[in-house]
Amino acid sequence: MKAIIYIPLVALLSLSVSCKKFVDIDPPRTELSSESLFVNDKTATSAMVGIYSDMNSYNYFYANLLTMFMGGMGSDEFTYALTSTAEFEEFKNNNVLSTNRFVGQLWSEPYAYNYRANAVIEGVTASQTLSPQVKNQLLGEAKFMRAFFHFYLVNTFGDVPLILDTDVQKNTNLSRTPAAEVYKSIIADLIDAKNLLAINYPSTGERTRPTKGAATLLLARAYLYTGNNVQAEIEAAEVISNPNYQLLQGANMNKTFLANSPEAIWQLQVVNNGGSRNTWEGFTMTPASITAPVAYYRLTKGAGGLVDAFEPGDLRRTNWTGSYTTTATPPLTHTYPYKYKIRTNPGPITEYSMVLRYAEAYLIRAEARIQLNKLDLGKQDLDVIRSRAGFSTPLPSIASIPAGMLRVEQERRVELFTEWGHRWFDLKRWKSVSGDATKTRADDVLPLTKPSWKSTAILMPIPSDARKTNPNLTPNPGYN
């Protein structure tokens, strides 16, 4: 696997330069060995926070538009508004080729970062000189990140190689690990991370490094995805009770995606902010000017479209989307994602890229409770989310689990749109309401906007480069 081979130690050492905004660290000497990197707290911390820095350094990287783009185009959230490339069209039409460079990045970048997380785990574990507090924090962060990367790999590609060390010779030819086994490792890593990480953020107030809250939320999500609704409810409840977080109400909804907002559980800074960028999401999704208001992405409309999924009076529609009218004859009005408000700003950075946020905990607990037939309690969690969105009247009583799941689907769709592929993963993991056990919710929903939809498109193809490098990688069903 190409991604696992090309991570030189020099890349690990260079991180302390690129991550200066995350933590104040002295730049390392170029002759540092991997052992000396983990001798003191500062250089060891540089190895960890450099991963966050590099994840979000450039446009269409794994941790910004790439994940949003795959999930939004692959599901039914938006289409690309400008002149599209063949590779964009493949996502739009769900006929992604194994040679698509973006699908290659969705594979190679998480594995590259996973290698670095494994290097931190090994280096920190072996170190005898780190302070106990820093050692626990770094080990917790690295295990959290290893779980995070495997979570997105398994949900994008299905069975994937489970890489838990830096043994390149062994890992290069690993076969695909069954998804259930990958999830067991994800959950084990998150339990360890939760026990190791601090509950509070650093004294600077920056929410750009994972804490116990981040590990707990991702653990709740992993339990939900694997059908362990009892544990999903427990972990989500723990996040909800954490005093570090709160839902922003009314007009304050527009502050949700600000740097270090009280709804943020984990965010990433854009360290490459040339041209006065705040986030890559805002730079790409927000129109360039009022006089030429053309956004790169347009929310889908019409039958099955996202625009018409919002109920009248939903503050998420008025606060988190924007619109513009073309000069065509007749003029057309389009809607675009507007969670991030700033395209460019010469002043201080005010927005960060959101990775995990508090509202998801309520949605996880609501779904888990409804699946456990705790219908009234599940409805109460949905009402909390809806109240924040401007609905003063609670939902009517939910009569059944299937009816409750349709309410969950609605709220997740209009709350989490264009964030980290949530909609895409939801449609893949839920069963079809038709009763056909071989179908998913994607088979029910996506033909409304994608006439050529095929069931096998719920998984991305294993990239051709990875298969050339590792002959033990088998293709996904429906791909050559």
Side-chain angles (χ1 to χ4, degrees):
M1 282 183 303
K2 186 174 173 182
I4 303 173
I5 299 174
Y6 63 65
I7 321 294
L9 176 61
V10 107
L12 192 65
L13 298 178
S14 70
L15 303 181
S16 43
V17 175
S18 63
C19 65
K20 288 293 283 184
K21 290 193 175 183
F22 289 87
V23 65
D24 185 19
I25 296 169
D26 296 330
R29 297 183 303 274
T30 55
E31 65 271 13
L32 279 173
S33 68
S34 59
E35 291 80 10
S36 60
L37 185 64
F38 297 100
V39 167
N40 67 68
D41 291 352
K42 282 189 174 183
T43 55
T45 300
S46 76
M48 189 67 240
V49 300
I51 296 176
Y52 314 138
S53 173
D54 286 356
M55 283 170 65
N56 204 22
S57 294
Y58 295 97
N59 200 4
Y60 284 96
F61 258 41
Y62 165 72
N64 50 60
L65 290 175
L66 191 58
T67 328
M68 177 276 293
F69 167 86
M70 177 275 294
M73 293 275 281
S75 61
D76 54 4
E77 290 186 330
F78 57 75
T79 59
Y80 193 69
L82 304 184
T83 302
S84 188
T85 67
E87 290 173 312
F88 280 32
E89 290 296 305
E90 289 172 20
F91 280 91
K92 173 185 172 183
N93 297 320
N94 297 95
N95 60 355
V96 180
L97 301 179
S98 62
T99 53
N100 187 298
R101 64 184 164 123
F102 295 116
V103 83
Q105 286 176 259
L106 286 167
W107 175 278
S108 64
E109 289 183 21
Y111 272 124
Y113 299 130
N114 184 69
Y115 177 97
R116 289 161 61 174
N118 283 329
V120 172
I121 291 170
E122 293 171 4
V124 168
T125 300
S127 177
Q128 301 297 315
T129 54
L130 297 177
S131 67
Q133 181 179 358
V134 169
K135 190 168 188 174
N136 284 343
Q137 180 69 23
L138 295 181
L139 190 58
E141 289 185 44
K143 289 200 169 189
F144 169 83
M145 293 309 302
R146 184 167 70 181
F148 182 85
F149 297 130
H150 278 116
F151 178 89
Y152 280 91
L153 284 163
V154 78
N155 277 283
T156 304
F157 298 101
D159 299 346
V160 293
L162 179 64
I163 309 294
L164 301 177
D165 56 45
T166 59
D167 187 340
V168 172
Q169 185 173 1
K170 177 192 70 175
N171 294 336
T172 299
N173 295 305
L174 281 181
S175 300
R176 300 172 67 178
T177 305
E181 188 175 335
V182 177
Y183 263 112
K184 286 181 182 178
S185 177
I186 290 169
I187 289 170
D189 271 346
L190 290 172
I191 290 172
D192 286 348
K194 179 182 172 182
N195 291 330
L196 289 163
L197 290 170
I199 191 169
N200 293 320
Y201 295 94
S203 58
T204 59
E206 294 285 321
R207 299 188 174 208
T208 53
R209 292 176 65 183
T211 60
K212 190 182 296 291
T216 307
L217 181 62
L218 191 58
L219 180 59
R221 190 196 297 177
Y223 279 133
L224 187 77
Y225 275 39
T226 54
N228 190 340
N229 294 302
V230 172
Q231 282 302 127
E233 180 186 15
I234 291 170
E235 300 298 334
E238 184 174 333
V239 177
I240 289 168
S241 66
N242 189 322
N244 287 326
Y245 313 118
Q246 67 181 70
L247 292 176
L248 294 173
Q249 305 290 328
N252 285 328
M253 285 178 64
N254 278 325
K255 300 179 181 178
T256 298
F257 296 86
L258 293 181
N260 306 308
S261 85
E263 193 162 331
I265 292 179
W266 179 38
Q267 296 177 304
L268 292 173
Q269 291 171 272
V270 177
V271 296
N272 178 12
N273 58 1
S276 302
R277 287 181 295 270
N278 271 220
T279 66
W280 290 108
E281 293 89 343
F283 183 73
T284 303
M285 289 190 280
T286 305
S289 71
I290 297 175
T291 56
V294 178
Y296 290 173
Y297 297 101
R298 296 170 180 167
L299 300 187
T300 53
K301 52 187 175 181
L306 177 57
V307 171
D308 295 331
F310 291 94
E311 299 170 55
D314 193 329
L315 294 179
R316 291 167 292 200
R317 173 73 162 86
T318 54
N319 286 278
W320 289 350
T321 71
S323 63
Y324 64 93
T325 302
T326 69
T327 58
T329 305
L332 298 172
T333 299
H334 298 292
T335 306
Y336 58 89
Y338 197 42
K339 288 181 171 178
Y340 298 90
K341 311 297 184 187
I342 298 173
R343 189 174 194 276
T344 58
N345 178 18
I349 300 297
T350 58
E351 292 182 339
Y352 288 168
S353 295
M354 186 74 75
V355 187
L356 298 173
R357 66 183 178 93
Y358 186 50
E360 187 189 352
Y362 281 100
L363 293 168
I364 289 174
R365 192 170 71 172
E367 181 176 344
R369 284 174 162 178
I370 286 170
Q371 291 284 19
L372 293 168
N373 207 30
K374 300 179 181 180
L375 302 180
D376 286 342
L377 289 175
K379 184 186 85 69
Q380 289 175 21
D381 283 335
L382 295 178
D383 282 334
V384 171
I385 295 295
R386 288 174 59 82
S387 175
R388 187 272 284 276
F391 297 105
S392 57
T393 303
L395 288 168
S397 296
I398 295 175
S400 65
I401 292 175
M405 284 303 297
L406 290 177
R407 291 303 326 180
V408 168
E409 179 178 342
Q410 166 66 15
E411 293 307 315
R412 288 184 66 90
R413 185 181 190 189
V414 295
E415 179 70 31
L416 300 175
F417 68 96
T418 68
E419 294 182 52
W420 279 89
H422 279 289
R423 174 68 170 169
W424 177 238
F425 291 164
D426 286 345
L427 293 177
K428 291 169 51 178
R429 67 186 177 88
W430 289 328
K431 294 296 184 183
S432 167
V433 299
S434 69
D436 186 340
T438 67
K439 301 292 186 180
T440 67
R441 186 67 176 138
D443 294 306
D444 300 339
V445 169
L446 294 186
L448 293 172
T449 55
K450 299 168 183 284
S452 60
W453 168 258
K454 295 184 297 184
S455 296
T456 52
I458 60 170
L459 294 177
M460 292 292 167
I462 305 300
S464 58
D465 282 350
R467 292 190 61 212
K468 288 176 183 176
T469 306
N470 179 1
N472 292 322
L473 292 176
T474 56
N476 272 327
Y479 301 98
N480 294 325

